[in-house]
């Protein structure tokens, strides 16, 4: 396809090429559009409070990620038996800092997490603390205001979703 490039074609049409910027598809050669990163791994999530960070005694913490370009998919499974933090609950220890622009989607389920009665607890947002933590939210079934989830002394959370890395 060009000097210092490796490419592939079908029926004489370029379908992709590896350049110094990464993998480009079709005839696109723009550095900004090149796929330049793929990785999988594990990380250690931590709970913290927004008023007082606190310390938790974890029963278990498991988390994995897959990063494709700037898109980071995460899966967290964690439980704690005691926690001294106060304020609103956050999950920190993300494998990559989130981008400043909006983007991402998470769902979570919990056990023993003190949610307001009649709530649907599937909202979470990355970007708290300058992009290094996830804030958990709850919304009232049938509509109403969305509010932050408060710290709980003992609970379990299963969270998965994706966000855009900085």
């Amino acid at each position: 396809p060009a000097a210092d490039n490796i490419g592939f074609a079908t029926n004489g049409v370029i379908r992709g090429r590896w350049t110094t910027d990464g993998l480009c598809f079709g005839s696109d050669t723009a550095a900004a559009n090149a796929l330049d990163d793929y990785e999988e791994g594990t990380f250690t999530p931590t709970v913290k409070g927004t008023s007082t960070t606190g310390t938790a005694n974890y029963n278990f913490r498991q988390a994995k990620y897959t990063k494709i370009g700037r898109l980071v998919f995460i899966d967290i499974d964690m439980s704690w038996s005691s926690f001294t933090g106060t304020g609103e609950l956050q999950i920190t220890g993300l494998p990559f800092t989130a981008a400043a622009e909006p983007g991402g989607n998470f769902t979570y389920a919990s056990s023993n997490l003190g949610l307001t009665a009649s709530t649907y607890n599937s909202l979470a947002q990355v970007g708290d603390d300058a992009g290094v933590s996830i804030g958990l939210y709850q919304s009232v079934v049938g509509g109403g205001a969305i509010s932050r989830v408060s710290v709980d002394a003992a609970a379990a959370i299963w969270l998965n979703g994706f966000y855009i890395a900085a």
Side-chain angles (χ1 to χ4, degrees):
D4 299 323
N5 283 217
I6 299 172
F8 51 96
T10 57
N11 293 328
V13 177
I14 296 288
R15 302 296 181 191
R17 68 184 87 213
W18 280 272
T19 70
T20 56
D21 299 312
L23 176 60
C24 298
F25 295 95
S27 61
D28 191 349
T29 58
N33 298 336
L35 179 58
D36 61 354
D37 189 14
Y38 176 90
E39 65 180 273
E40 297 179 10
T42 60
F43 63 101
T44 305
T46 303
V47 291
K48 76 174 239 181
T50 56
S51 298
T52 303
T53 299
T55 304
N57 181 23
Y58 296 96
N59 300 317
F60 58 86
R61 288 187 285 177
Q62 303 175 111
K64 59 185 177 179
Y65 71 89
T66 301
K67 183 174 186 270
I68 303 170
R70 291 179 56 210
L71 196 57
V72 183
F73 297 89
I74 63 171
D75 188 12
I76 297 173
D77 183 4
M78 63 192 299
S79 171
W80 58 95
S81 58
S82 64
F83 181 44
T84 61
T86 61
E88 297 159 342
L89 186 62
Q90 292 181 316
I91 298 174
T92 64
L94 299 177
F96 303 94
T97 300
E101 68 264 13
N105 185 34
F106 299 94
T107 58
Y108 73 92
S110 63
S111 174
N112 298 328
L113 192 59
L115 301 171
T116 306
S118 302
T119 60
Y120 178 69
N121 62 329
S122 68
L123 304 169
Q125 174 183 321
V126 73
D128 286 1
D129 292 342
V132 296
S133 68
I134 298 171
L136 301 180
Y137 294 80
Q138 58 188 346
S139 65
V140 177
V141 172
I146 295 172
S147 62
R148 293 289 302 259
V149 173
S150 295
V151 163
D152 205 317
I157 292 178
W158 304 273
L159 180 143
N160 63 29
F162 67 90
Y163 68 95
I164 298 171

